[in-house]
Amino acid sequence: MEHTSNADLRAAADAVLARLVGDDSGEARLREDQWRAIEALVAEKRRALVVQRTGWGKSAVYFVATSLLRAQGSGPTVIVSPLLALMRNQVEAAARAGIRARTINSSNIEEWDTIQDEIGAGTVDVLLVSPERLNNPDFRDRVLPELAAATGLLVVDEAHCISDWGHDFRPDYRRLRTMLADLPQGVPVLATTATANARVTADVAEQLGTGGSTDALVLRGPLDRDSLSLHVLRLPDAAHRMAWLADHLDDLPGSGIVYTLTVAAAEEVTAFLRQRGHTVSAYTGKTENAERQQAEEDLLANKVKALVATSALGMGFDKPDLGFVVHLGSPSSPISYYQQVGRAGRGVRHAEVLLLPGQEDEAIWEYFASLAFPSEELVRRTLDILADAGRPMSLPALEPLVELRRSRLETMLKVLDVDGAVRRVKGGWTATGQPWTYDAERYAWVARQRKAEQQAMREYASTTGCRMEFLQRQLDDEAAKPCGRCDNCAGVRHSAEASTAALEAARTDLGRAGVEVEPRRMWPTGLPAIGMELKGRIPAGELAAQGRALGRLSDIGWGNRLRPMFASGAPDGPVPDDVAKAVVGVLADWARGPGGWASGGADAVARPVGVVTMASRTRPVLIQSLGSRIAEIGRLPLLGSLEYTGEAFPASRSNSAQRLKALDGAVAVPPELAAALAKEEGPVLLVDDYTETGWTLAVAARLLRRAGASGVLPLDA
């Protein structure tokens, strides 16, 4: 029998739950495992790590605990949460229980001072903070100490992000160690996640200070979701997958999410489904914040059948009645896959989960795997540059000096910050001079783990055993057993057939060639620091015009055809007939389209007077043959080719400044091409195999225009 005070506390907790879920009957009751977590936090002031499936009710635990702790006179709860979508959901949920919640994140800077005043006045019950705020110098030095001193409960949501052993490591989360160290004695801490295997669970517990403490509570439950029916459909190609989705989307229950692996694919699929009469919206990392919020609201209100989303929607979207999750393309990790499918079926008895693997999946996996932690040489070079600077260096100032793209450079600096080797201050980053060791063994283990996760996803797609049991075992769930619901347990329920009409429409859509290639218009910052006196706008007389390309390597139409051609180690050879024909079609559409030389419009560019090919050390035959075909069909002279000078041209995939440094003096207009340009009056078509950063085209256009071309029209396969 419960102690009287605990019985009263339990009754008060159930009353808060009733308000939270809108239950006026008075019958709402916390489950025993939820109550155990709340009891540990409120009555025992302990630290707890909760690993429970999505939909278990983790938010109920921290909102109920908050209400009870506030009634005892404790300070506000601080929730560290990864995504704005989750924050918006949480604020609304808290209000139902009479809990006043506010957020501090990058989208509401103008409200920060007001919110801090409200915290000081005691009118804020819950403060949701994005992990990035924890290492903002002003927030870290001015707000965080006061917050830590006043906090009544610290909640770390999606706590698997703390561990770099996991699938979704975020270095900003490691800053929590500072906040934990500054918490007054007896302040409870709750960490929650639905996606952590045993290794990640142990690491998170250690990071949060719960690992070695005898006062810690670890609650780990079974991860089976009895509302989810898992299925895999293997279809011949991208057209079949899109056609199948167009035919069967309305058959899926309620509204849901269609995940894609790339932004380009999300945009393609959204456009196609709309053409086929479906109400859908795209949701990617490139979607404007206001559009994201509108898309979330539309899905919550069932105004759209689906959001077509990248992993930007992977965490933190709370819609209990989400009826389905479809993946057009396989994620590289069974843990992240479990997390994404866990968005469905939280408040309904049945939800459909379908994986439609694609031939492009592994190429996309390899690309993201290439963005792992940089080599020790690059890290040491960065530390030396910061040490020699003697002053804080901003990312734009540091980037030209380091062969890393800005996003990777920033992530690396955050890891070094947590390790104590650098510090983020006002004005940028400084080296601390503290000794630092490159943990090569750990980084290699993480890389091997990524490979193992990829293999696990291959096995998931091909297994003849229970699919839910497979995912549970990947998360080290000791309660794993056959689910009785998936296609392998209960039989196939979804036909792989697609209608002829939808299939023809998908093939037409995916076969439609041509994307615009926007020219670079501004030189990157910091070039003078590496000996290049270029800055600001590229002069109009040196600019490339807007160009065209056959397709994007990241899309699921022409990308699937082109990707093998441009893969590392792929043989060089004459341009294939189908590719050449499609490029000529792109050229014809370009000429007739708005602003094209055959459009007759007032803004039309002049007709090209000749074809110039780009130099290439890897695909000279391909580019030369494509240039020749275009010149022959367009009845244009083949004026010549740009050429590379010197022994080697490093194909840098790092950042813009380093790419330009590598190109500086490495490309030239040979005398015979210069002479040909001098005889012609008008723009030229510049033919290349593909463009990645746009800087090779920018440099080539500058050289050609300085040599006499009145314009440069880039055209890529």
Side-chain angles (χ1 to χ4, degrees):
M1 185 173 178
E2 289 181 297
H3 189 274
T4 303
S5 60
N6 265 19
D8 292 343
L9 193 66
R10 176 68 185 265
D14 286 336
V16 177
L17 177 69
R19 294 198 300 272
L20 189 66
V21 300
D23 179 8
D24 297 327
S25 68
E27 296 180 0
R29 294 287 185 274
L30 290 157
R31 296 192 309 275
E32 286 304 313
D33 48 5
Q34 291 176 310
W35 164 243
R36 181 66 195 98
I38 292 167
E39 183 182 39
L41 297 170
V42 179
E44 302 163 9
K45 304 296 191 291
R46 293 172 67 179
R47 294 186 174 186
L49 171 58
V50 172
V51 183
Q52 298 281 2
R53 64 183 179 270
T54 303
W56 174 82
K58 295 183 283 290
S59 60
V61 169
Y62 51 71
F63 281 139
V64 171
T66 293
S67 182
L68 299 178
L69 286 166
R70 292 288 279 165
Q72 294 177 359
S74 294
T77 291
V78 175
I79 302 175
V80 181
S81 171
L83 287 185
L84 297 180
L86 179 65
M87 291 187 182
R88 287 191 282 268
N89 292 157
Q90 300 287 44
V91 169
E92 293 167 7
R96 292 196 296 269
I99 297 170
R100 180 170 168 77
R102 299 298 303 268
T103 73
I104 289 182
N105 58 69
S106 57
S107 71
N108 70 340
I109 296 173
E110 70 284 353
E111 299 178 23
W112 287 9
D113 289 341
T114 301
I115 292 170
Q116 285 162 212
D117 290 343
E118 291 173 353
I119 293 170
T123 59
V124 174
D125 300 311
V126 172
L127 178 66
L128 293 106
V129 180
S130 63
E132 292 77 18
R133 288 301 96 204
L134 299 178
N135 204 30
N136 173 279
D138 185 60
F139 186 87
R140 180 196 64 211
D141 298 336
R142 186 169 66 89
V143 181
L144 199 57
E146 296 178 8
L147 206 54
T151 296
L153 169 66
L154 175 63
V155 178
V156 184
D157 206 14
E158 307 294 353
H160 60 274
C161 294
I162 291 172
S163 175
D164 60 2
W165 300 109
H167 74 283
D168 196 23
F169 168 58
R170 301 188 182 192
D172 288 304
Y173 262 69
R174 299 285 289 272
R175 271 289 141 207
L176 286 163
R177 289 190 301 191
T178 302
M179 189 168 183
L180 283 161
D182 292 341
L183 286 176
Q185 187 72 24
V187 173
V189 176
L190 172 66
T192 69
T193 179
T195 50
N197 58 20
R199 181 68 182 263
V200 172
T201 297
D203 190 34
V204 171
E206 182 181 356
Q207 297 278 353
L208 294 173
T210 63
S213 172
T214 56
D215 192 39
L217 175 68
V218 177
L219 294 173
R220 185 181 175 99
L223 299 179
D224 181 22
R225 294 282 305 282
D226 57 14
S227 61
L228 299 183
S229 295
L230 305 179
H231 309 268
V232 175
L233 272 180
R234 288 194 174 276
L235 300 172
D237 52 34
H240 278 81
R241 285 183 288 147
M242 283 177 58
W244 184 93
L245 189 58
D247 280 346
H248 298 279
L249 186 62
D250 285 338
D251 299 335
L252 298 174
S255 54
I257 301 170
V258 177
Y259 280 108
T260 65
L261 299 187
T262 67
V263 172
E267 292 171 347
E268 281 181 300
V269 172
T270 301
F272 178 71
L273 290 177
R274 285 176 173 171
Q275 290 168 16
R276 303 299 295 173
H278 295 290
T279 306
V280 296
S281 296
Y283 190 110
T284 74
K286 291 187 177 180
T287 307
E288 293 292 335
N289 188 57
E291 292 179 30
R292 279 195 189 197
Q293 189 165 353
Q294 186 61 55
E296 293 164 16
E297 291 172 0
D298 287 347
L299 185 61
L300 288 169
N302 296 315
K303 292 180 179 178
V304 293
K305 180 65 177 178
L307 294 188
V308 184
T310 61
S311 58
L313 194 68
M315 288 193 297
F317 187 78
D318 184 14
K319 178 176 168 61
D321 62 340
L322 199 76
F324 63 88
V325 169
V326 177
H327 279 79
L328 286 183
S330 175
S332 61
S333 162
I335 302 175
S336 58
Y337 182 66
Y338 174 88
Q339 180 189 67
Q340 289 175 356
V341 303
R343 302 263 69 83
R346 297 173 60 175
V348 292
R349 290 188 175 184
H350 176 77
E352 291 289 312
V353 172
L354 294 103
L355 171 63
L356 281 60
Q359 68 183 63
E360 70 277 3
D361 296 353
E362 301 216 5
I364 295 169
W365 296 352
E366 288 306 312
Y367 170 76
F368 286 113
S370 72
L371 306 180
F373 196 72
S375 67
E376 182 170 6
E377 179 187 4
L378 272 175
V379 179
R380 296 288 180 196
R381 188 181 310 162
T382 306
L383 291 173
D384 288 344
I385 291 168
L386 287 173
D388 292 343
R391 57 178 174 77
M393 292 191 72
S394 66
L395 278 173
L398 186 58
E399 183 182 17
L401 307 175
V402 181
E403 293 178 11
L404 288 172
R405 290 183 179 177
R406 187 171 300 186
S407 58
R408 289 190 71 199
L409 175 60
E410 184 175 23
T411 298
M412 181 187 78
L413 288 169
K414 287 176 178 179
V415 172
L416 293 174
D417 190 354
V418 170
D419 291 344
V422 305
R423 181 171 172 80
R424 187 179 175 195
V425 297
K426 286 186 176 180
W429 300 82
T430 60
T432 63
Q434 296 297 316
W436 178 80
T437 302
Y438 187 87
D439 196 345
E441 183 179 347
R442 187 180 185 91
Y443 303 140
W445 189 96
V446 171
R448 291 194 299 272
Q449 182 69 8
R450 298 290 181 267
K451 291 287 186 184
E453 289 174 350
Q454 292 175 9
Q455 180 58 29
M457 282 310 297
R458 295 185 193 100
E459 293 171 3
Y460 172 81
S462 61
T463 185
T464 57
C466 173
R467 298 197 195 276
M468 179 59 79
E469 181 181 18
F470 183 96
L471 292 178
Q472 287 178 263
R473 292 195 184 284
Q474 288 295 313
L475 279 100
D476 298 320
D477 182 0
E478 296 179 358
K481 64 182 186 302
C483 70
R485 302 178 305 274
C486 70
D487 51 1
N488 288 337
C489 287
V492 176
R493 291 207 312 275
H494 294 280
S495 166
E497 293 183 2
S499 68
T500 302
L503 192 52
E504 288 179 353
R507 284 174 175 155
T508 298
D509 197 71
L510 292 175
R512 188 174 294 117
V515 294
E516 294 179 350
V517 177
E518 287 295 327
R520 291 285 189 170
R521 301 183 186 277
M522 298 281 293
W523 297 116
T525 57
L527 288 179
I530 55 175
M532 297 183 70
E533 296 304 320
L534 297 171
K535 58 183 177 181
R537 288 188 174 277
I538 300 174
E542 298 179 359
L543 272 175
Q546 186 186 73
R548 295 292 188 277
L550 178 54
R552 300 183 184 91
L553 293 181
S554 59
D555 68 29
I556 56 177
W558 274 101
N560 279 344
R561 173 68 180 93
L562 298 173
R563 206 175 294 112
M565 287 175 53
F566 298 130
S568 177
D572 187 23
V575 61
D577 287 342
D578 63 326
V579 173
K581 182 178 179 182
V583 172
V584 170
V586 170
L587 191 59
D589 290 342
W590 187 8
R592 293 189 297 265
W597 52 92
S599 65
D603 59 344
V605 299
R607 185 179 190 274
V609 297
V611 175
V612 176
T613 55
M614 191 64 210
S616 175
R617 286 198 170 94
T618 55
R619 298 181 190 86
V621 176
L622 174 70
I623 295 175
Q624 192 63 31
S625 66
L626 179 59
S628 298
R629 294 279 289 272
I630 290 170
E632 179 183 356
I633 294 170
R635 298 180 181 178
L636 296 169
L638 186 60
L639 301 177
S641 178
L642 290 162
E643 62 182 27
Y644 286 127
T645 62
E647 289 296 319
F649 170 64
S652 171
R653 287 182 61 191
S654 54
N655 58 55
S656 294
Q658 290 291 324
R659 177 74 175 172
L660 277 169
K661 181 67 174 176
L663 284 163
D664 188 27
V667 184
V669 179
E672 57 273 21
L673 175 56
L677 290 170
K679 295 177 184 177
E680 305 289 348
E681 291 186 8
V684 296
L685 278 174
L686 176 61
V687 177
D688 200 1
D689 50 2
Y690 75 98
T691 182
E692 184 175 14
T693 65
W695 288 118
T696 300
L697 288 179
V699 169
R702 183 172 187 251
L703 290 170
L704 290 170
R705 297 203 65 178
R706 284 187 161 194
S710 67
V712 176
L713 308 173
L715 179 64
D716 295 325

